[in-house]
Amino acid sequence: MVNYNIAEAFIEVLNANGVGFVFFNPGIDNVPVLETISKYRANGRKSPRGILCLDEFVAMTAAHGNYMASGRPQVVSVHSELGALQVGGALHNAQWGRVPVIIFTEILGPMERVNWRQEPFDQGLIARNFVKWDHQLGDNEDIVDILQEAFRIATTEPCGPVYLTLPREVLWNKSDTSTRVQALTTARESLPPVDTDALNQAADILIKAENPLILTGYTGRNEQSVGSLVELAETLCAGVLTADIRVNFPRTHPLSVYLSPDIGFRNPPLTTADVILVIDYDMHYAAPPTTPGPDTKIIHIDIDTLKRGVPLWERQPDILIKADSSQAIPALNDILRQKITPEQRQQFQKRFERLEDEHNRAQNEWQTLALSHADRTPISANWLCYCINEAIDEETIIVNQAITPSMIVAHQIQRNRPGTLLSCAGGCIGWALGAALGVKLAAPDRSVVSLMGDGAFIYGCPEASLWSAGFYRAPFLSIIFNNRGYGAIKGLFQEKYNVDNMGADIATPPDYAMVAQACSAYGRTVEDPADVRPSLKEALDHVQNGRPAVLDFRLEPV
Ligand SMILES: Cc1ncc(C[n+]2csc(CCOP(=O)(O)OP(=O)(O)O)c2C)c(N)n1
């Protein structure tokens, strides 16, 4: 017998934690929770909305995107062992994206049904490498306590995924726990106060620096931090180099570092800075080819100082401060304001002018390059990105997993407003489609444009993503940078083994526009550079009218 009190308690815990959606792909085991959600919603009772995703990879990726746009904890429900396996690399992406997501599955399907028991040796092992906690509900444990513990762990910084397995008899047969929900507390652990002694030391080093650089990764997850980072950069007159995971700093601000188009993998600001202030950053500043100089001082402020999986073997920071940057940056601003003398401020101003000149020069180079490619056939990625930048408004959310054109995207598509650029922190390709679905569900009034390679379009399960986008009225535009192959891999083979072609071409690509049309989306293949602008406009109009759209831009083959 199904005991719906348990499933109701489950929903109430989700409500208490502000969960907006349950992204799911079902097996028989998911019935109690999903059916209770339907019942709740049919009766006008508060409940997360169930979003059916036709592939578990899309369910997890949509949750990832939804978190990035809403800041809310996420829930993904999949079918026991098989559903958990199908989530695949999307879980790795959620781990690196520090997504507070609870994935739950059941174990032990109905005995009479199948010839295999759905009892892997250790169900939690499927996810264990990628989660902060995995747990199987025990006989004497209460679902409310365990689910709440899962939320507490997932949402405590640094946030991350949690995996719960619920034995069938728990959701189907157990006593009433509804009184436990009423007593539920959703208090979060408060963060330790920022270490002001360490910040003072950092401030002294930064004030003495001749060529300071600020390097950020995911600071913009707190949108108000973008403003305080602007204040910090302007106070120090320091350039800001940011990863493209989020908008951490307005792209067109004069202190935003632009690299010249012909720079390749070199990164002069990183190698010439005498002090680097690193904030919320994962890639280690130790690895070649862009290593800071041996005497460069490194100050690192991060909510995640441990960096499990990214050891800094070759280079330790001089000052390491574990703190929430949304508190640490304003605190550092206060300290700097008090310490900096009027003479120093004047001195810094000269640096500002130099950096502004460099910024403007490089920005012009990128613009000139794009315009010089306006007639180039096949279509140039520079021209395409220039036109995308023109076609979107400043509130449009770009969901980006373009690989080989990433430098071009970062320099041609200028995102200034907090929250208008979201990218994948992990390495599993195929993220941009499902993530755009999750973003659109979180921000229904905003335009959402996802960018990806042709390889990534296929990895992203286009039929599943486009179907959910259509069915749940969450339309977005997908732009394919179609270079007819795995450009990144080919590049690596060339660099490491001097091999030109190792069979990583998609030389006669599928008709991606037809794939879109088959899913009732708008789809168009674009080969003529003169069609780039009109096709973008047309596709965005379709999206505006509620229809998902896919544009397959045929670029130079890699
Ligand atoms: C799921 C998965 N499989 C394989 C890879 C290895 N990989 C990294 S980049 C890449 C090529 C991606 O091709 P595409 O999206 O077309 O972008 P391009 O490199 O051509 O710009 C591959 C296969 C990966 N990161 N993730």
Side-chain angles (χ1 to χ4, degrees):
M1 250 303 275
V2 176
N3 180 346
Y4 281 103
N5 285 332
I6 304 289
E8 287 184 7
F10 196 99
I11 305 296
E12 297 299 342
V13 180
L14 304 195
N15 284 340
N17 285 278
V19 174
F21 300 93
V22 172
F23 297 97
F24 74 95
N25 188 283
I28 185 70
D29 37 82
N30 311 75
V31 167
V33 170
L34 298 177
E35 193 186 345
T36 309
I37 287 178
S38 301
K39 231 188 314 175
Y40 262 50
R41 293 184 70 83
N43 295 332
R45 289 177 72 183
K46 185 174 176 219
S47 157
R49 188 173 169 204
I51 301 291
L52 172 62
C53 298
L54 306 183
D55 188 292
E56 289 84 346
F57 180 88
V58 175
M60 188 58 160
T61 305
H64 189 154
N66 197 272
Y67 163 69
M68 288 189 90
S70 70
R72 290 175 171 211
Q74 301 293 319
V75 172
V76 171
S77 163
V78 295
H79 174 45
S80 59
E81 180 191 17
L82 306 177
L85 283 168
Q86 191 77 3
V87 167
L91 184 55
H92 150 104
N93 287 342
Q95 177 193 32
W96 287 103
R98 297 186 177 78
V99 179
V101 52
I102 292 162
I103 313 137
F104 78 93
T105 64
E106 283 195 50
I107 49 168
L108 298 185
M111 298 312 173
E112 71 279 11
R113 196 186 141 239
V114 285
N115 55 359
W116 77 97
R117 288 265 313 230
Q118 305 189 32
E119 262 183 295
F121 299 142
D122 181 349
Q123 172 97 11
L125 199 62
I126 297 172
R128 194 160 297 149
N129 262 330
F130 309 97
V131 296
K132 288 175 81 179
W133 186 50
D134 73 274
H135 184 72
Q136 179 170 321
L137 192 70
D139 277 350
N140 300 321
E141 289 174 333
D142 184 307
I143 181 81
V144 175
D145 285 336
I146 294 302
L147 190 53
Q148 188 52 24
E149 183 63 359
F151 275 106
R152 192 181 71 77
I153 292 173
T155 59
T156 297
E157 294 267 27
C159 300
V162 162
Y163 182 60
L164 284 185
T165 49
L166 310 173
R168 180 176 71 114
E169 58 277 14
V170 175
L171 280 186
W172 292 57
N173 286 313
K174 219 181 169 184
S175 61
D176 185 1
T177 56
S178 55
T179 50
R180 294 279 307 109
V181 178
Q182 281 147 25
L184 191 68
T185 160
T186 53
R188 294 274 170 273
E189 187 179 272
S190 51
L191 290 161
V194 187
D195 179 347
T196 39
D197 284 349
L199 275 188
N200 265 294
Q201 278 179 41
D204 289 338
I205 294 173
L206 285 162
I207 290 169
K208 281 200 205 113
E210 285 192 2
N211 200 11
L213 176 73
I214 300 172
L215 183 62
T216 67
Y218 55 101
T219 314
R221 73 192 189 284
N222 297 308
E223 294 196 355
Q224 77 277 16
S225 293
V226 177
S228 41
L229 191 59
V230 168
E231 190 183 331
L232 177 63
E234 288 179 354
T235 305
L236 288 168
C237 299
V240 180
L241 195 61
T242 117
D244 61 1
I245 307 294
R246 302 264 190 178
V247 174
N248 299 311
F249 194 75
R251 196 64 179 111
T252 57
H253 188 286
L255 291 172
S256 165
V257 172
Y258 266 65
L259 303 174
S260 279
D262 53 8
I263 211 88
F265 286 114
R266 287 179 303 118
N267 191 330
L270 196 64
T271 47
T272 54
D274 58 347
V275 176
I276 303 179
L277 172 59
V278 182
I279 309 176
D280 297 332
Y281 196 77
D282 284 336
M283 302 292 280
H284 42 130
Y285 28 76
T290 49
T291 316
D295 300 326
T296 304
K297 292 233 171 315
I298 294 174
I299 302 159
H300 192 148
I301 301 173
D302 210 311
I303 195 70
D304 181 6
T305 43
L306 201 54
K307 302 282 174 215
R308 281 198 314 168
V310 194
L312 296 170
W313 282 314
E314 295 164 42
R315 187 73 180 258
Q316 295 303 317
D318 297 270
I319 298 179
L320 183 61
I321 302 172
K322 183 177 172 71
D324 181 339
S325 55
S326 68
Q327 294 168 14
I329 300 172
L332 183 58
N333 282 336
D334 288 345
I335 293 172
L336 286 167
R337 252 195 317 273
Q338 285 165 25
K339 283 187 185 252
I340 294 172
T341 64
E343 296 75 47
Q344 284 167 331
R345 200 160 293 130
Q346 258 185 353
Q347 209 51 35
F348 292 176
Q349 197 51 36
K350 288 189 200 132
R351 192 156 66 211
F352 186 100
E353 284 155 22
R354 175 175 59 79
L355 291 169
E356 185 174 29
D357 274 355
E358 286 172 14
H359 168 97
N360 289 341
R361 199 172 333 116
Q363 197 180 1
N364 281 337
E365 281 172 22
W366 280 99
Q367 226 167 54
T368 311
L369 182 69
L371 291 170
S372 73
H373 287 186
D375 301 322
R376 194 181 265 203
T377 308
I379 296 167
S380 130
N382 269 291
W383 173 238
L384 172 56
C385 289
Y386 180 89
C387 294
I388 294 170
N389 190 52
E390 254 182 8
I392 60 176
D393 64 28
E394 54 190 11
E395 291 296 340
T396 296
I397 303 177
I398 294 285
V399 179
N400 174 34
Q401 203 186 29
I403 312 286
T404 35
S406 59
M407 175 97 164
I408 298 172
V409 169
H411 286 83
Q412 300 285 9
I413 305 181
Q414 297 155 340
R415 306 321 288 146
N416 286 325
R417 299 267 174 114
T420 58
L421 171 69
L422 304 172
S423 307
C424 182
C428 184
I429 310 282
W431 179 84
L433 282 168
L437 166 69
V439 169
K440 183 65 183 178
L441 287 166
D445 300 332
R446 310 271 290 275
S447 290
V448 177
V449 176
S450 63
L451 313 178
M452 70 211 78
D454 47 327
F457 182 71
I458 295 294
Y459 282 114
C461 313
E463 299 90 344
S465 301
L466 292 171
W467 179 82
S468 293
F471 186 77
Y472 294 106
R473 298 202 166 74
F476 55 89
L477 168 61
S478 301
I479 293 180
I480 304 174
F481 288 72
N482 188 346
N483 56 15
R484 283 169 244 196
Y486 291 153
I489 302 295
K490 286 185 74 172
L492 284 174
F493 264 78
Q494 242 147 25
E495 190 189 313
K496 307 276 179 217
Y497 305 107
N498 203 18
V499 172
D500 258 350
N501 188 349
M502 32 66 78
D505 295 320
I506 312 173
T508 49
D511 188 330
Y512 302 123
M514 274 180 77
V515 172
Q517 289 157 20
C519 304
S520 307
Y522 170 80
R524 177 169 171 185
T525 308
V526 186
E527 289 181 283
D528 184 340
D531 289 339
V532 174
R533 278 178 167 142
S535 63
L536 284 167
K537 184 177 176 327
E538 191 182 17
L540 284 167
D541 285 348
H542 278 287
V543 173
Q544 195 67 31
N545 292 327
R547 191 174 176 204
V550 174
L551 288 175
D552 173 10
F553 287 102
R554 300 291 168 109
L555 311 180
E556 185 124 41
V558 279

